[in-house]
Amino acid sequence: CAFRSEEMRMTNRRDFKPDPNYIPPLDLLKDYGDGSNKVDREELEANKKRIVDTLANYNIAIDKIKATIGPTVTLYEIIPAAGVRISKIKGLQDDIALCLSAIGIRIIAPIPGKGTVGIEVPNQKPQIVSMRSVLGSERFQKCGYELPFGIGKTISNESYVADLAKMPHILMAGATGQGKSVGINAIISSLLYSKH
């Protein structure tokens, strides 16, 4: 009986003809919703006020502050008043993190192409960035890259897609639990969903 089942399995394997243009359906990936950003208005306003108050404690005046909500972090863009040195704001990273009770903020001073200083603050309730939403996005589907891979979403909630063929080498490094394996799995999934 065992021999007969093995013989049938081998026969089925010889008859199998793979589809040369097969790409798996997106339905195989888990759906985590539309991926829309859900940050409380109260959280945004409270963080803005804390940032302004902390900078005011160090005699740093700002003209304007605005927030760009991402899936896991919110970018607060501030326009410093005339005469304020950017290095002074950058030196307050730990003080701002303490004030916001946030684990690991990042200060981008200045934001490339803009005359603003960015403060990235982790959201209290981060949203899941699903592989299904990245691979199903128009940016991934119509990118035209030789070896495309989607690695996540940008601060403005757009899918981030790059071309593996244009990278001379890849080094995945980081501390435990920072997402190295998730990154490699994202690259492998992207290739499976873009190349037959």
Side-chain angles (χ1 to χ4, degrees), residues 54-55 58 60 88-97 107:
T54 303
L55 294 174
Y58 292 94
I60 298 173
K88 196 172 179 186
I89 297 172
K90 205 165 185 178
L92 295 174
Q93 183 165 334
D94 293 337
D95 296 299
I96 295 170
I107 294 183

Side-chain angles (χ1 to χ4, degrees), residues 11-24:
T11 304
N12 291 341
R13 189 178 291 166
R14 276 185 295 232
D15 294 341
F16 176 72
K17 291 185 175 89
D19 180 3
N21 297 316
Y22 176 77
I23 292 191

Side-chain angles (χ1 to χ4, degrees), residues 128-191:
I128 292 175
V129 177
S130 71
M131 213 50 216
R132 183 175 181 162
S133 67
V134 173
L135 298 180
S137 69
E138 188 174 347
R139 180 165 283 194
F140 182 81
Q141 296 290 327
K142 297 184 178 180
C143 66
Y145 293 147
E146 197 173 334
L147 294 174
F149 70 95
I151 203 79
K153 294 204 174 185
T154 64
I155 190 78
S156 55
N157 211 27
E158 295 176 357
S159 295
Y160 184 81
V161 181
D163 190 1
L164 195 62
K166 292 189 177 174
M167 299 181 182
H169 60 79
I170 294 179
L171 173 65
M172 297 290 266
T176 302
Q178 295 300 306
K180 297 180 297 297
S181 298
V182 174
I184 290 173
N185 286 335
I187 291 171
I188 293 169
S189 298
S190 298
L191 294 175

Side-chain angles (χ1 to χ4, degrees), residues 65-83:
I65 184 168
K66 75 170 194 165
T68 304
I69 304 165
T72 57
V73 296
T74 299
L75 174 68
Y76 295 91
E77 280 184 67
I78 59 173
I79 299 172

